[in-house]
Amino acid sequence: MIRTVDAAKVSDTVAKLCVEANFKAPKDVVDALARALRAERSPLGKDILRTLRENIRIAAADKVAMCQDTGMAVVFLEVGQDLHVAGGALAKAVNAGVRKGYAEGYLRKSVVDPLTRANTGDNTPAIIHTEIVPGRLLRITVAPKGFGSENMSAIRMFNPTVSRDQVEEFVVGCVRDAGARPCPPTVVGVGIGGTFEHAALLAKKALLVPLGEKQARADLAAVERSLLAKINALGIGPGGLGGATTALAVRALAHPTHIAGLPVAVNICCHALRHASAVL
Amino acid sequence: MKAKKLTTPLTQGKALSLKAGDRVLLSGTVYTARDQAHKRMTETLIEGRDLTFIPPGATIYYAGPAPARPGRPIGSCGPTTSARMDAFAPALMAAGVRGMIGKGERGGNVVDAIKTFKGVYFAAAGGAGALLARRVKSARVVAYEDLGPEAVRELVVDDLPLIVAIDAHGNNLFERKKR
Ligand code: SF4
């Protein structure tokens, strides 16, 4: 049987998630910052980590966004194939929600036309990724993405004969070149395989995997560990002021690719790794 | 290490007393400006006109704050990436700007200008917009209102927590710390 969800309900939920994601840090990030503070030896690095923890507390208390760059709203929709959205187009409903959430939450409107640079005024359009899944539910994840870190991301189409070391050097190189700009400590999302655009999407999705969650593939887990060690050996540290905590985590996702190539994408996210989900 | 109290406007003497690595609590007036405002300010200077809204010895804060809730002076207000302003910063320093607040490293041209004009570059904690907003006591737009979050705002701040990242002697925390 087909289940019906009202488009207005979708809008309200998206609005709520935009606000929640910006005011409240996910628990895994809070825990990772606490662990980093215990491990960090650099005095200025510790200072920054303490400030970031205090900032998370103040944001929740004052109902103020953790970071003024409240991002471009990236919205993941998992739509059950036995679900029907009534009362309007789904994408329209999502954008109405973003408009509402960014107004009601006093969030910054950072979206502009790419050519004229004119601000759209309401932080729309959102970037919407829709997937049709079995079932009758609608899962919505809002992940506002700041551009200090988004700008430091990269994709590379490798030859199939590339070594693992070369791939890792590409990822580490992105983080090295980014330096202090993406507000370290960061979380580094890596997408390996698929096609050009799919690798980028994998890298973005990798950022949504809870930080403590066990990586399903042992070989991929080894890549994540190796990358994290190399990245934290760079010494960039919190705020780029030196230290052992350049990244809180590296998360990788893989997908089968073509015999002729190996796309690898790196999506860097700051410690403000914001995301909030709801199921309708 | 205890934080040094510092008030605006910054004088040459004050700038010279600061060392890279110092923690500072800044009080007084700072001016927000980011990409588009920098572009416009530089155009004004190229046309040979003065920047009337920015007094000599001013400190510029690379920030585009989130809107204020009713009853509050400002919304979330942390630093943006300073490197994007590198191309414009030396011209502004030549026109009298002495301090800059932002996040991340600066280009060699900016380090040189800081030395030449006896300025200072402060790092604020990137992503700590809610915490930094609490230190802002008032805000008013003084130029380019049409730019929205990118307008130039005069902020009165009280104990804004900063770290001296590049000092007037040319010491650069990012150089030293990056191995
Ligand atoms: S990189 Fe992240 S924490 Fe830094 S300013 Fe941008 S959104 Fe905020």
Side-chain angles (χ1 to χ4, degrees):
Chain A
M1 245 241 316
I2 298 283
R3 193 176 148 249
T4 301
V5 166
D6 204 21
K9 182 109 196 264
V10 173
S11 297
D12 286 347
T13 304
V14 168
K16 198 179 84 194
L17 293 175
C18 288
V19 174
E20 184 188 323
N22 272 296
F23 288 2
K24 213 171 145 263
K27 186 166 182 310
D28 54 343
V29 175
V30 176
D31 291 347
L33 283 170
R35 271 197 306 277
L37 183 57
R38 283 197 294 273
E40 185 56 70
R41 290 285 154 263
S42 138
L44 288 179
K46 277 177 117 61
D47 210 56
I48 297 280
L49 291 172
R50 262 191 224 105
T51 302
L52 296 181
R53 280 172 54 83
E54 178 68 1
N55 182 63
I56 288 174
R57 200 187 58 74
I58 291 176
D62 290 4
K63 296 206 180 330
V64 162
M66 286 179 279
C67 181
Q68 75 291 337
D69 183 353
T70 50
M72 191 157 190
V74 181
V75 181
F76 291 91
L77 301 175
E78 286 171 42
V79 187
Q81 63 193 29
D82 298 324
L83 179 99
H84 165 65
V85 178
L90 181 55
K92 246 191 169 161
V94 168
N95 280 315
V98 169
R99 191 173 298 121
K100 185 162 182 261
Y102 274 71
E104 290 176 355
Y106 295 92
L107 306 177
R108 198 179 76 183
K109 324 304 180 279
S110 313
V111 176
V112 296
D113 181 275
L115 302 183
T116 65
R117 307 301 298 180
N119 200 304
T120 62
D122 57 9
N123 222 52
T124 68
I127 303 295
I128 306 174
H129 299 290
T130 310
E131 222 176 299
I132 307 292
V133 298
R136 350 161 41 202
L137 299 176
L138 170 61
R139 186 183 174 83
I140 307 175
T141 299
V142 176
K145 188 66 170 74
F147 259 51
S149 52
E150 191 74 354
N151 278 343
M152 299 299 121
S153 306
I155 188 160
R156 180 121 161 229
M157 307 300 284
F158 282 103
N159 281 330
T161 49
V162 67
S163 71
R164 186 176 128 181
D165 269 357
Q166 283 170 300
V167 170
E168 288 191 7
E169 182 40 42
F170 165 62
V171 179
V172 175
C174 284
V175 178
R176 186 190 296 118
D177 294 346
R181 281 174 280 185
C183 290
T186 56
V187 175
V188 181
V190 184
I192 305 174
T195 50
F196 178 74
E197 85 289 1
H198 195 68
L201 187 57
L202 286 176
K204 176 125 291 156
K205 281 187 172 171
L207 293 173
L208 298 177
V209 181
L211 297 183
E213 191 172 296
K214 199 166 172 289
Q215 170 65 257
R217 281 180 68 158
D219 50 357
L220 212 48
V223 170
E224 287 179 349
R225 272 196 306 275
S226 165
L227 281 171
L228 185 63
K230 287 180 187 173
I231 287 167
N232 283 337
L234 292 172
I236 295 169
L241 300 169
T245 326
T246 301
L248 296 171
V250 175
R251 304 284 9 211
L253 289 175
H255 192 276
T257 189
H258 190 277
I259 49 171
L262 178 65
V264 178
V266 183
N267 195 199
I268 298 184
C269 190
C270 43
H271 55 84
L273 178 61
R274 295 161 287 197
H275 52 90
S277 303
V279 178
L280 293 183
Chain B
M1 190 185 42
K2 227 174 138 274
K4 286 186 184 173
K5 293 260 191 184
L6 189 69
T7 50
T8 65
L10 296 181
T11 59
Q12 189 166 326
K14 282 184 199 173
L16 283 167
S17 75
L18 299 170
K19 288 255 151 26
D22 284 353
R23 289 169 56 217
V24 164
L25 293 170
L26 184 71
S27 298
T29 308
V30 301
Y31 297 85
T32 65
R34 42 177 295 153
D35 307 68
Q36 300 302 333
H38 272 79
K39 204 170 152 195
R40 289 196 195 175
M41 289 192 291
T42 313
E43 279 160 13
T44 302
L45 291 173
I46 289 171
E47 286 161 13
R49 289 184 291 129
D50 290 335
L51 297 172
T52 47
F53 49 90
I54 292 189
T59 295
I60 292 203
Y61 183 14
Y62 300 141
R69 276 180 188 282
R72 295 256 180 81
I74 205 150
S76 190
C77 185
T80 193
T81 303
S82 307
R84 292 197 316 270
M85 267 55 79
D86 280 358
F88 309 107
L92 288 176
M93 293 197 78
V97 168
R98 193 176 298 281
M100 293 161 284
I101 306 170
K103 65 168 168 111
E105 43 280 273
R106 307 305 302 266
N109 62 330
V110 179
V111 181
D112 289 345
I114 289 173
K115 262 202 288 193
T116 308
F117 298 109
K118 307 284 178 277
V120 56
Y121 170 56
F122 302 100
L131 182 141
L132 292 162
R134 272 202 183 174
R135 310 299 172 98
V136 176
K137 298 302 152 193
S138 70
R140 78 186 169 99
V141 173
V142 292
Y144 315 143
E145 182 134 35
D146 61 300
L147 290 180
E150 295 205 58
V152 175
R153 285 176 174 78
E154 185 187 87
L155 307 184
V156 176
V157 297
D158 188 24
D159 283 350
L160 197 66
L162 306 171
I163 292 165
V164 176
I166 303 173
D167 67 29
H169 310 280
N171 300 309
N172 181 353
L173 219 51
F174 295 106
E175 274 305 312
R176 222 154 15 93
K177 298 285 178 171
K178 225 163 115 180
R179 285 165 284 256

